[in-house]
Structures are given as C-alpha cells and as structure tokens.
Amino acid sequence: MLSRICTLTRTELYKLLRQRLFYITLFLLVAVVVLSVLSERLFPSTKNPINGFNPLINGSINGFRFSSYLILIIGSLLFASETTLGTLKTIFIAPFRRSEFVIAKIITLFILSVLFTFIIELLSIGLAFSVYGFSDIKDPTFVELIHLSSSEILLYTAYSFIHIIVPLITVGLMGLFISVLVDNAGIAVGVSIIIYLILDTFIAGLYENLSSFLFTPYLTYYLEPIKNITDGILEEIWKFELINRAFGFSKQDISLDIARNISVIKSFIVPIGYSAIFTFLSIILVSKRPS
Amino acid sequence: MKQIAIRTENLSRRFGRFPAVQDLSLEIYAGDIYGFLGLNGAGKTTTIRMLLRLLKPDAGKIFVYGNDLDAAYLEIMNYLGGLVETPTFYPYLSGRENISLFARLRMLKSRDLINSIVNDLLALVGLKERADDKIHIYSQGMRQRLGIASALLPCFIPNLSKSPIVILDEPTNGLDPQGISDIRNLIQKLNQEKKITFLISSHLLSEMELLCNRVGIIRNGKLIISEDLQTLLKQEGVEITAPRRHLEKYFMGLI
C-alpha cells in the first residue's frame, strides 16, 4: 500500500510541476512576501528606528493569508481538474484503491504547504534581516521587566511557521473536499473561495465566540502576538502569551494558565479535526462515485 | 475446455428508474476477440464501465479468471486494460509523457523498462513521430490511438500472473480508414502472438465481422445472444463468403 501511495504521490507532484499554474503561484507568493517586507522601505512609516521584526511579521502574515488562497485553489483543482479533463477513468483503471488516490493528493497538499511555509519563512526572515536588521524589543517604561531578545522572538516565529502548516493543509483539504463534490474545476475554485471568505471574513469576523471553532483564524493565531509586540503594543502579558502559546505553559495564575493551554490545544485540535473530517468525506465520496 | 477470462453473473445497473443493464450473464473465453454489439443506449458502455470497476453494479458479480473482481480488485487490475468512450489525457503533457505516467501507475519501477514499453506502444499505434508533441495539438484520431496505447499497457508488462485482457469501448471512433485498418491489424496481431483477450464494443458491424471470433448482442440492457460468430451466421442461414474489403483495398492503394 505504501509503495502504491508513493507512486501516486510522485505522479501527482510530476503533474503539478509540469503545469504553468504552479510556477505562477510561486511567483505570486514570492512577490507578495517581498513587497510586504519591503513596504516599510518603500512607504516609510513614522516608526524610528525600524526593527526588522515588524516587516518580517507583516510579510509573513500577508504571505500566509495569500498562500491560504493559493493552497485552496490548488486543492480545489486537484480532483475537479481530473473530472473536467476526464482523466479519472484512465487513472481508476490502474491497480490502485481510490482511497490511495485521495491520500496521494492529500500528501501532495502537505508537501505544498510545507514548501510554501519554507518559502515565506526563509524569504521574510532573510529579507527583513538583510534590509532592516533585528534588535531586541524593550518596553520603554519597564526596560528591566519587559525585554524580549531577538533570538527569543526568532525562535517563537520559527515555531509559529511550523504550526501554521496545520491550518494551511486544512484549507487545502477543504478545497479538495469541495472539488470532489463539484465536477467542474472552475466552479470548484469559485465555490471554495466563496465558502472560505464566508468562514474567514464573515463568521470569524462577526461572531468572535464561534471563531475559535473554525480553522481559519489559526492561520495567523501565533503570529498575532508578535505583530502586537512589534507594532508597539508591548505588555507584559504578551511575553507570557508568547511562551504560553509556544510551549503550553505559563507563569500566570492557574486559571489563566488552563485557559491558555486550552487555546493552545484548540489551535491544534480544531484544524486537525476539520482535516480529518474533510479527508474522511473525500475518501468516502471518491470511493462511491461513478466514473 | 477453454478457460473463461471474464464471467458476469446477473449483472444489473439502474440510473434512476432507467434499467441500463439487466441480469447480464456473459462469458468471454481467454484468447477471444469478443465483439459486444448493440444500439446506442443498449447498455454496452455501462457494462464495460462495470467490468473496469468504474461503476458499481446494483446487483450481480464479475469474475476475472475465476476471481471475484470486488475481492481481488488490485490483482486483477494489473492485467486488465481498458479504454472507455473518448480517451482523455493531460493536455500539458506530451503523448509520450502521458503514456509514461500511466505506465508508472502500473507499478513499473525501472525507467529503462518504462521507456522501452512506451516506445514500443507508441510505435505500435503509429504515434512514434508525434510522441513528443503536446496532447492539446493532437487530432481526435491521434488521441484515439494514444487511448488504445494506454489500454494496451498491461500487454507489455513482464511477468504478469495471468494473460492480459483488454476492453475497448468504440476503439475506432474518430479514426480514418488507415487508422481503423491499423488498429484491426494490431488487435489481431496481439491476439495471435501474445494470446491477449479482447472485448470490443463497436457500431461498425463490418469491422466486428472482420475482427471478432465471438459476439454478444445487447438490447435494452439485456444480453440477447452470445455466440461464436461463424455459428451465429450459419444459424441465420447467412452465406459466409470472404469478407468484402474492395473499397478499403482501393482506398489504401490510393493513399
């Protein structure tokens, strides 16, 4: 079974690498990250001196927001394009289980998510460091008390990037699930984007209580504290928030600690839960569908 | 006694209220070139899709070399090849790349072996010269030839446990007379030299008469006859003469 899935994944990646769409996607992603990081240089704000962490985080957040749409579109096309082209009937005649075919597509989405994350991470850190440099962040009022070293923030940022892979894959899996439901590739992409916008903008934006049960807010969940810090909203609580979010413990009182630990767990459990549901439904639907 | 390559037992499939295939029990012997005939909507393609497991039957069983298709699916699909209706490929890949990709899906590991099989197949279907062109510039006939090449893949895989079976749904669709003649010769050659079993559905009765040794006729989803072609024609009192191919010979002579 493993060798069949490996073969299928290799052919999926081969098909992806042979399409212009993939290279356009990479180019757009790089362009968004570069422009976001360099925006401080291109359109200088009043901040003085500029700490590289601010452009780094802006570039990363914009990059991840944008990459979530790219992954969504690629996920939507992974299955629906096969239906539109009519290639499914040729593939399904090969000696594979249909579930293996879906799993190969999911692995492809995972590889793409990791690739996008590394591109955003390396590009934003490298560019921000070389253009602006990194320095420690201190609260002007409580310099001794509140002092985040640049290595501490970098470590946390790297951790955030790794975590973001989970909700990023979930977005792609939602696209894949919709593409299994909708036979036409164009309609699948359109429907996916509309549903994603509804989840991300309307439901998560309007109903704060509901947002923690959606997977979309977790895309930038770990980056927001650093954004607040680098934007100058430096409170002691954020230091603990950083540590707490990253490692699941806190020096705060127990009730706050529990509440925060729950949100750390939730930030993993919610996207993984959605991913499991989308994967399960996609496999069931593909196994049952006529070709 | 001849070995049975494909056997169906009371195969049925409905689309809504419409019974596309009803209680179809069929036997195809190893080494047959079996012509599956019927009018449009008679149930040929539905049957073929069920045989290739693209469609699940509502009732009935399919056995390939005595093995239940549902139970031994992964093993059976190794030696089962097929083409259903219009062949479709990845338009951004060349003909060679498409066939190589489908060859890889047959779990062929060696790149040299894949290249050699793909070259042989492309030469057999007359696409060697255009193998590196992208699919989107292929004519319908060329796509049809490539579809046949992909269906014939199991015939070139070494060390299969059983002799391959190839199921072709309207294989001569979109082919010119030269193409039809080439494909007919190819099927006969593979059948004789490699003992490949073929199940072919077609509207071209004259072609089927030239090609097949056994035929089955399906009407309104029911198999009304399945018989040796010569026996069938004798039963009907048809005078069997050498097949008439005067126009084809004249046409081939001109081009």
Side-chain angles (χ1 to χ4, degrees):
Chain A
M1 180 178 174
L2 200 64
S3 82
R4 288 196 299 269
I5 290 174
C6 286
T7 304
L8 278 167
T9 308
R10 272 204 300 271
T11 58
E12 284 302 324
L13 290 171
Y14 172 74
K15 284 187 279 182
L16 201 67
L17 292 175
R18 295 303 308 271
Q19 291 182 71
R20 211 173 293 165
L21 173 76
F22 176 71
Y23 299 98
I24 294 171
T25 299
L26 281 186
F27 172 77
L28 289 174
L29 183 63
V30 169
V32 165
V33 175
V34 170
L35 286 175
S36 300
V37 173
L38 294 182
S39 62
E40 277 295 333
R41 184 72 74 188
L42 300 170
F43 311 102
S45 65
T46 52
K47 280 174 197 160
N48 192 24
I50 298 168
N51 187 338
F53 282 116
N54 189 264
L56 158 65
I57 295 304
N58 283 336
S60 306
I61 288 180
N62 289 337
F64 281 117
R65 285 244 159 259
F66 189 68
S67 70
S68 69
Y69 281 92
L70 297 179
I71 286 282
L72 182 74
I73 291 169
I74 292 172
S76 312
L77 288 172
L78 271 183
F79 197 87
S81 67
E82 304 264 10
T83 321
T84 308
L85 289 172
T87 43
L88 275 184
K89 63 186 179 191
T90 316
I91 285 181
F92 284 167
I93 294 173
F96 289 98
R97 288 193 185 90
R98 291 188 182 190
S99 56
E100 292 164 352
F101 179 66
V102 178
I103 290 167
K105 296 221 177 257
I106 291 168
I107 294 172
T108 307
L109 277 177
F110 175 77
I111 293 169
L112 270 184
S113 302
V114 173
L115 176 72
F116 284 0
T117 305
F118 271 103
I119 287 173
I120 296 168
E121 177 166 2
L122 294 177
L123 207 58
S124 54
I125 291 177
L127 211 56
F129 180 72
S130 55
V131 176
Y132 308 100
F134 293 143
S135 53
D136 295 357
I137 295 176
K138 295 168 190 168
D139 189 302
T141 323
F142 309 102
V143 178
E144 292 303 316
L145 189 66
I146 302 171
H147 177 184
L148 290 171
S149 69
S150 47
S151 59
E152 197 179 1
I153 301 176
L154 259 182
L155 186 72
Y156 175 79
T157 310
Y159 172 82
S160 311
F161 284 139
I162 294 167
H163 175 272
I164 283 166
I165 294 171
V166 180
L168 203 55
I169 294 167
T170 313
V171 174
L173 287 175
M174 186 183 82
L176 181 69
F177 169 64
I178 291 167
S179 83
V180 171
L181 288 175
V182 182
D183 282 348
N184 183 290
I187 295 173
V189 171
V191 170
S192 298
I193 290 176
I194 290 169
I195 292 176
Y196 184 61
L197 278 173
I198 290 171
L199 288 176
D200 191 36
T201 313
F202 296 109
I203 299 181
L206 292 176
Y207 305 101
E208 215 169 290
N209 293 340
L210 274 179
S211 70
S212 63
F213 294 100
L214 299 174
F215 56 90
T216 49
Y218 295 109
L219 271 169
T220 52
Y221 181 75
Y222 285 83
L223 290 174
E224 278 160 13
I226 317 179
K227 183 168 167 53
N228 285 332
I229 291 165
T230 55
D231 278 349
I233 311 167
L234 184 61
E235 296 171 18
E236 191 184 5
I237 196 166
W238 283 117
K239 184 166 184 176
F240 296 113
E241 180 77 14
L242 273 178
I243 298 162
N244 189 31
R245 284 192 181 197
F247 304 109
F249 61 84
S250 169
K251 291 175 187 171
Q252 301 285 299
D253 68 82
I254 291 170
S255 61
L256 196 62
D257 190 28
I258 291 170
R260 288 194 176 145
N261 277 326
I262 286 171
S263 60
V264 167
I265 294 166
K266 219 190 247 180
S267 72
F268 280 100
I269 294 291
V270 171
I272 288 172
Y274 276 102
S275 296
I277 292 168
F278 290 139
T279 303
F280 176 74
L281 290 177
S282 300
I283 288 174
I284 294 288
L285 286 171
V286 171
S287 301
K288 298 239 180 262
R289 69 173 287 143
S291 309
Chain B
M1 193 172 162
K2 278 186 171 179
Q3 188 184 18
I4 295 171
I6 298 177
R7 182 163 63 88
T8 70
E9 275 180 12
N10 305 317
L11 208 59
S12 300
R13 172 74 199 203
R14 301 178 78 90
F15 292 110
R17 286 183 169 183
F18 175 70
V21 174
Q22 302 177 66
D23 286 329
L24 188 132
S25 296
L26 180 75
E27 282 185 351
I28 298 166
Y29 299 113
D32 269 356
I33 302 181
Y34 189 93
F36 198 42
L37 313 174
L39 299 174
N40 285 336
K44 301 188 298 294
T45 301
T46 305
T47 307
I48 283 176
R49 285 166 71 198
M50 287 191 283
L51 291 175
L52 291 169
R53 215 168 175 262
L54 295 172
L55 195 64
K56 221 172 159 49
D58 293 333
K61 287 263 178 201
I62 298 166
F63 298 93
V64 180
Y65 290 117
N67 296 316
D68 186 342
L69 180 61
D70 272 340
Y73 169 67
L74 286 176
E75 192 215 325
I76 289 170
M77 294 318 275
N78 279 312
Y79 44 82
L80 205 62
L83 164 69
V84 185
E85 294 173 320
T86 317
T88 43
F89 298 97
Y90 299 103
Y92 45 85
L93 300 179
S94 67
R96 185 190 305 281
E97 288 165 339
N98 267 287
I99 297 297
S100 299
L101 188 142
F102 294 127
R104 277 203 290 271
L105 292 179
R106 296 265 167 195
M107 300 306 287
L108 293 171
K109 299 281 181 209
S110 153
R111 191 167 287 184
D112 289 342
L113 179 63
I114 292 175
N115 288 341
S116 139
I117 289 174
V118 170
N119 284 335
D120 287 352
L121 274 168
L122 290 168
L124 271 177
V125 297
L127 282 177
K128 204 173 181 180
E129 305 295 314
R130 305 288 302 274
D132 295 314
D133 289 349
K134 291 275 190 289
I135 291 291
H136 65 82
I137 60 165
Y138 272 28
S139 68
Q140 197 197 333
M142 289 164 75
R143 283 171 196 237
Q144 195 70 21
R145 285 168 182 260
L146 199 66
I148 292 167
S150 82
L152 293 176
L153 265 168
C155 309
F156 291 83
I157 295 174
N159 307 322
L160 285 178
S161 58
K162 297 278 190 322
S163 176
I165 300 168
V166 178
I167 299 176
L168 302 171
D169 186 18
E170 306 283 357
T172 50
N173 260 0
L175 292 181
D176 56 25
Q178 173 78 58
I180 293 173
S181 168
D182 288 350
I183 297 304
R184 185 203 310 135
N185 293 336
L186 173 62
I187 291 171
Q188 284 173 332
K189 187 179 165 201
L190 287 172
N191 176 256
Q192 281 158 18
E193 290 178 4
K194 295 196 168 202
K195 307 293 172 210
I196 313 284
T197 306
F198 285 92
L199 165 64
I200 303 166
S201 85
S202 178
H203 293 292
L204 302 175
L205 299 181
S206 55
E207 267 309 309
M208 293 287 100
E209 198 176 335
L210 286 173
L211 194 57
C212 304
N213 65 316
R214 291 183 72 234
V215 292
I217 299 173
I218 184 170
R219 187 175 66 196
N220 298 331
K222 290 180 177 170
L223 188 72
I224 52 174
I225 197 153
S226 179
E227 190 56 90
D228 182 87
L229 181 63
Q230 301 298 321
T231 313
L232 189 74
L233 294 177
K234 272 182 197 162
Q235 276 173 4
E236 293 300 309
V238 177
E239 190 188 343
I240 300 169
T241 57
R244 297 177 66 173
R245 295 159 68 174
H246 308 311
L247 182 59
E248 184 185 306
K249 277 181 188 164
Y250 178 72
F251 180 85
M252 295 302 182
L254 279 181
I255 58 168

